[in-house]
Amino acid sequence: AALAAAIAVPAEPGIKIPPLWYQVATWALAIAGLGVSTYLTITHYDSSVPLACSDNGLINCALVTSSAESMVFGIFPVAVLGLAFFVFMTAAVSPWAWRLKFLTWVRVASVIVGIGFVLYLVYTELFTLDAICLWCTSVHVLTFLLFVLVVGGVAAGYGLRERDYSY
């Protein structure tokens, strides 16, 4: 009840707001992604923080997170891109942000770029590195779920102007 009251901020006039469960679900997914991507970023920069994952065989987080492919253009860690994505998504899918029409297509574009990058990373893990990082996989799953909910939400009209079908 307190959460519902706290997020009961009026939307822009005529904007179709998603149900509370949807707002909370997308926000929880983004916060979970923020947590995992923060952990992956910390383990990238601080070798004293252990990477809690297998380091041999098919499941090999150390191989994946330290490979040449874990750096964009050889200089920028993929983990930082994930962190930036989830920082933005945490703000963009917060219950308050669902009331802002201008964010609708920015959210959609963000999850499309995000899922495109995830597909590239999964391909790289499976066919280039022959190793899978479970932490990375959790980020991929969270990104996929956000993609489904955000794109499905736009298909349902969330964040868009409600149509007046009266005559």
Side-chain angles (χ1 to χ4, degrees):
L3 177 63
I7 63 173
V9 177
E12 291 179 25
I15 300 299
K16 183 176 181 182
I17 302 301
L20 181 60
W21 71 264
Y22 177 93
Q23 296 174 48
V24 171
T26 55
W27 202 28
L29 289 169
I31 290 169
L34 181 61
V36 176
S37 61
T38 298
Y39 171 69
L40 286 170
T41 300
I42 290 169
T43 61
H44 176 82
Y45 285 109
D46 188 351
S47 59
S48 69
V49 177
L51 188 58
C53 181
S54 172
D55 62 355
N56 56 35
L58 178 64
I59 307 299
N60 190 334
C61 293
L63 174 66
V64 173
T65 60
S66 63
S67 69
E69 289 80 3
S70 71
M71 301 290 283
V72 177
F73 304 119
I75 53 171
F76 200 74
V78 169
V80 174
L81 286 180
L83 179 61
F85 173 77
F86 282 109
V87 165
F88 171 76
M89 289 307 294
T90 298
V93 298
S94 70
W96 303 275
W98 283 107
R99 286 145 179 72
L100 303 172
K101 183 179 184 279
F102 79 91
L103 277 178
T104 300
W105 295 110
V106 176
R107 270 191 295 267
V108 170
S110 297
V111 294
I112 289 172
V113 169
I115 201 67
F117 201 63
V118 161
L119 292 172
Y120 162 75
L121 292 172
V122 169
Y123 175 86
T124 299
E125 283 183 84
L126 294 175
F127 300 107
T128 303
L129 301 174
D130 296 320
I132 296 171
C133 169
L134 292 180
W135 289 104
C136 303
T137 300
S138 69
V139 167
H140 302 159
V141 169
L142 292 165
T143 303
F144 174 74
L145 293 172
L146 276 172
F147 171 80
V148 168
L149 286 172
V150 169
V151 172
V154 167
Y158 300 154
L160 302 174
R161 296 223 179 269
E162 293 192 62
R163 292 191 172 120
D164 182 5
Y165 293 105
S166 62
Y167 294 98

